[in-house]
Amino acid sequence: MTDPDTAARRPRDPLVLGVDLGTGGLRTALASAHGRVLAVAKRDLPTRLLPGGGAEQDPEDWWQAVVGTVKELLAGHPDTAPRIKALCFSAQWGGVVPVAADGTPTHPAVIWMDARGARYSRRATGGRITVPGTGYGARRLRTWIARTGGVPTRSGKDPVGQSLWLEHERPEAYAAARWLLDVPEYLTMRASGRAVAARDTAVLRWCTDNRDADTLAWDPRLARMAGLDIAKLPELVPAATLVGPLTARAAGDLGLPAGVQVVAGTGDTTAAALGAGAVRDHDAHLYVGTSAWLSCHVPAKKTSLLDNIASLPAAVPGRYWVATVQDVAGRAVDWLIENVLADPDHPRSAEALDRLTELAAGAPPGAGGVLFAPWLNGERTPVDDPALRGAWFNLSLSTTRADMARAVFEGIALNTRWMLEAVEKFTGRTLGPIRFIGGGATSGLWCQAMADVLDRPIDQIAEPQLANVRGAALLAGVALGEITWQQIPGLVAVDRRYEPNPAHRALYDQAYAALRAHHKGNRDLYRRLNPPAGG
């Protein structure tokens, strides 16, 4: 898509490239330093799902997608290259890319979905005296919570479990690695040659003292507790740091001037908040893409172990962001298209989603009583349980395809309500209106379902699927000194507000209670059916 504006025609205005690497694909935006997206190019990316809960991607696929999208943008806008001043990456995070000293990967990327390190995570986080119902060692848990605000997940789905899995199961790749990088850090190094981590992306290793968001540093004691080699961790820098210019090789690959600056990469959650314009305290945004999260900025570090929520250091100076994630959201819609509705010609296309939305709209609110639990890959917030699995339930002989399709959309919204309740308890306030972004927010059906199910006004952000690339561009604008953090809310437009329909309140209250009851009644069964890898 393209949207030339006056910024594209004013030769003095700097331009930036915002790149967002999601699990399913990559987008690159040519944008003004004020976050106005001028043109976008994208590529799909494969994920290898492996036995034992493995999930890997090839970092070379990522880089070739960056190269391809940048060249496509430059071909369409050949006069802009001299005006591009910075490049910033947003990316999926909570994974590990082991690289040699020159940045060459020694193993495929182990991404955020990978749970093969669960048994090593359980060893690292256990103890002789454990907190009942959690498995965490009491002393270790107290230390982690006090210093970081969080704790490594026992599911193995974070850089702690993934690094330990590499060390024990892929020792040659681990030994050859000079650096253990998260995904945004790998992309930053590939472009700049420097192994650095912005402070906001470092925290999921649970090895940083986060009590002061602006001065956090690697903590040797925490690293020892996690079993991580602190010598393999990258240099820490503040968010919005200009790391340096493109290397000659990267500039050549991309067709860009060598003087283009690389901004320290950030996680997709940070970029999404910026791209939604939600940078003030308690301004909430909801993202629905492959996964989903509901977040806002808060002034202090806090933890709720019960709901698997913590506030972690943010890119915004002096602030923390509420960290949540639900493993499967839009991915359930992809799954429905690819495996149930069987549309192999358009498995993840806009046309396939439009047809599915049209089908779902043919069913009444409440989907004829059909309910869908979207836990196709376990869950994280507000319960950290990798054994949970998805299900349609309350089907009958009168159930239609439209009912089943609508139930998927509504089931994701009902699961989001569970997350919203936990976040509102965590922040101590009712949130709203909620800014809605990601691919899910392009659907009017889903926007209204979210408003009705959550009982909150939903603000559909303009071009919601571009929130992450817009956020990366805005971060580059801050790094270049072209804009301030305080200006960001005014730079992001809202297309439409969806108000809750009070006529549907009782219907969705009943459906929500049924989803919670399904979880309570079946969680033990799921654990028996899906025991953790390694016992």
Side-chain angles (χ1 to χ4, degrees), residues 345-359:
D345 294 331
H346 305 281
R348 297 175 61 241
S349 67
E351 293 81 5
L353 178 59
D354 288 344
R355 287 194 295 274
L356 178 62
T357 302
E358 183 179 358
L359 175 64

Side-chain angles (χ1 to χ4, degrees), residues 26 123 145 193 249 289 315 362 393 440 457 495:
L26 178 139
R123 291 176 192 171
I145 295 296
R249 181 178 178 182
F393 58 104
D495 255 1

Side-chain angles (χ1 to χ4, degrees), residues 74-161:
L74 293 179
H77 303 268
D79 297 334
T80 60
R83 294 169 50 205
I84 296 173
K85 302 303 179 186
L87 167 69
C88 183
F89 295 101
S90 153
Q92 52 161 304
W93 60 312
V96 176
V97 188
V99 301
D102 65 356
T104 302
T106 65
H107 187 274
V110 181
I111 66 169
W112 61 276
M113 298 167 64
D114 195 297
R116 288 175 292 182
R119 60 176 169 176
Y120 303 111
S121 292
R122 293 195 295 271
R123 291 176 192 171
T125 57
R128 285 182 294 179
I129 300 175
T130 61
V131 177
T134 71
Y136 286 103
R139 292 182 62 184
R140 288 172 174 262
L141 182 63
R142 183 170 61 247
T143 300
W144 260 311
I145 295 296
R147 297 194 186 191
T148 73
V151 63
T153 175
R154 290 173 62 81
S155 70
K157 294 181 180 180
D158 66 14
V160 173

Side-chain angles (χ1 to χ4, degrees), residues 311-358:
S311 54
L312 301 174
V316 179
R319 283 308 183 253
Y320 295 79
W321 64 279
V322 176
T324 65
V325 66
Q326 292 188 325
D327 248 24
V328 172
R331 186 67 186 92
V333 174
D334 290 342
W335 169 84
L336 178 64
I337 293 170
E338 295 166 2
N339 298 289
V340 180
L341 299 182
D343 190 357
D345 294 331
H346 305 281
R348 297 175 61 241
S349 67
E351 293 81 5
L353 178 59
D354 288 344
R355 287 194 295 274
L356 178 62
T357 302
E358 183 179 358

